[in-house]
Amino acid sequence: MDGFPKKIRWSRFLERRSGRGIIVPIDHGLTIGPVEGLDSVTQVARWIGHPAITGVIAHKGMVERLAACGLLRGVGLMVHLNGMTSLAAKPDQKERLTCVEAAVRLGADAVSLQLNFDGTNDAHNLSQLGEVVDEAQRYGMPVLTMLYDKVRCDGDELRLKRMRHLMRACVELGTDALKLEAPAQFSHVHQLLAGVVDHTAVFFAGGAVRSEEDVIRLAQEVVSRGATGLCVGRNIFQRESAAAVLTQLQKVVLAVPETPQSERSRSHGVAGTNGKTPHPVGEAAE
């Protein structure tokens, strides 16, 4: 991720010590209509201020409404640029609905778009991403690509091969971050991340509502294998107690791993007054 403006903006989506993040997408209303948990600003207000949340993704209209109520303070803001309703003849054909300049005017820190590859729309998707990246570069804005492969595959090997190819295509076109569906077998996470996560942030989606235990396990599995974090919506805002699951995810995703050096530092009284190990000389505290 080149350029200081882009790096500064992207840092708002990550917890500064762990370097990981929990981003909550709330763009569902355009696609599927009214949805429990996002039905009103009041519902969103119940959970959006939780300290585990490092970023939010929303369409431009919701950004204005939430900002007017003071609900977007203290988190990274991503404006979603494309979409399509589930009522459409081709719901996987996501069309551009706004531009990067509009996101800048709204105060966004980054932009996102969703690419659903159904086997017929590769050119449409890739040209859209290329155009968004070019626009974003002019403003120093990071781009997150929500990448989904809708083509049916016979076996995990072909599925992984296709996904790695699509991930590489997005990287080649300049995306700064990816949101992926977690593979059925967590052992395949490493194969998806290999050669990518060292230069491109990778978040895993929560998908359909699942048990709280399954969400926590998802977080543990992907983070332990090097993922940047989670991009989870329904498994947060459709919970009876969103705060409870967010608190648990915070402990898993945003926790700073103990190291022998940090343990020695504390035992010798080197930590600062807040009990945290100071940043090395030259390291930004952000």
Side-chain angles (χ1 to χ4, degrees):
M1 191 176 291
D2 296 328
F4 286 112
K6 185 185 287 190
K7 289 179 179 178
I8 290 171
R9 290 186 174 105
W10 183 246
S11 71
R12 294 167 186 155
F13 294 93
L14 305 176
E15 200 278 332
R16 68 179 183 86
R17 294 168 301 163
S18 66
R20 295 191 291 265
I22 299 173
I23 300 175
V24 182
I26 55 173
D27 57 313
H28 303 67
L30 187 147
T31 306
I32 61 178
V35 57
E36 182 61 30
L38 301 179
D39 255 353
S40 66
V41 171
T42 301
Q43 286 190 344
V44 176
R46 293 172 185 164
W47 55 265
I48 199 169
H50 195 285
I53 299 173
T54 58
V56 172
I57 303 174
H59 284 289
K60 58 182 182 179
M62 286 305 297
V63 168
E64 291 188 274
R65 287 160 176 80
L66 294 173
C69 298
L71 296 177
L72 294 177
R73 297 169 184 162
V75 296
L77 172 61
M78 214 177 279
V79 171
H80 199 56
L81 302 183
N82 70 348
M84 182 56 61
T85 71
S86 58
L87 305 173
K90 294 182 178 181
D92 286 326
Q93 189 88 346
K94 307 296 183 180
E95 300 290 347
R96 280 287 295 276
L97 304 173
T98 191
C99 62
V100 176
E101 182 182 357
V104 173
R105 291 199 302 267
L106 286 168
D109 302 300
V111 293
S112 65
L113 73 166
Q114 182 169 337
L115 304 182
N116 290 358
F117 287 85
D118 65 7
T120 68
N121 59 359
D122 293 46
H124 172 84
N125 288 341
L126 295 176
S127 62
Q128 189 171 159
L129 175 58
E131 290 171 1
V132 166
V133 168
D134 289 346
E135 286 181 34
Q137 285 180 338
R138 291 198 291 270
Y139 296 96
M141 293 282 278
V143 177
L144 178 142
T145 302
M146 301 179 183
L147 176 59
Y148 292 93
D149 186 9
K150 300 293 186 175
V151 175
R152 292 187 179 183
C153 296
D154 293 328
D156 290 340
E157 184 176 349
L158 178 58
R159 186 180 305 278
L160 285 169
K161 183 177 180 180
R162 276 188 55 84
M163 181 53 71
R164 281 185 55 82
H165 191 159
L166 294 173
M167 291 170 64
R168 181 54 183 259
C170 293
V171 169
E172 292 282 341
L173 290 176
T175 195
D176 300 290
L178 290 163
K179 171 189 174 182
L180 309 176
E181 183 178 12
Q185 297 184 45
F186 289 125
S187 59
H188 293 157
V189 169
H190 177 73
Q191 292 172 258
L192 290 176
L193 297 181
V196 177
V197 76
D198 55 335
H199 52 69
T200 303
V202 180
F203 294 81
F204 283 93
V209 177
R210 60 181 78 187
S211 72
E212 193 169 303
E213 292 75 17
D214 284 346
V215 176
I216 302 307
R217 185 184 173 215
L218 166 68
Q220 293 169 333
E221 294 286 354
V222 300
V223 166
S224 67
R225 289 172 167 81
T228 312
L230 295 182
C231 191
V232 180
R234 287 169 289 178
N235 278 287
I236 289 175
F237 62 72
Q238 290 195 322
R239 295 281 176 201
E240 184 174 343
S241 177
V245 70
L246 280 166
T247 297
Q248 291 193 64
L249 289 175
Q250 183 177 19
K251 294 175 181 177
V252 174
V253 180
L254 305 185
V256 180
E258 290 287 350
T259 64
Q261 179 61 45
S262 64
E263 291 169 0
R264 285 197 297 271
S265 296
R266 276 200 300 276
S267 66
H268 287 84
V270 179
T273 57
N274 60 359
K276 300 171 186 174
T277 303
H279 290 275
V281 174
E283 181 179 329
E286 296 181 8

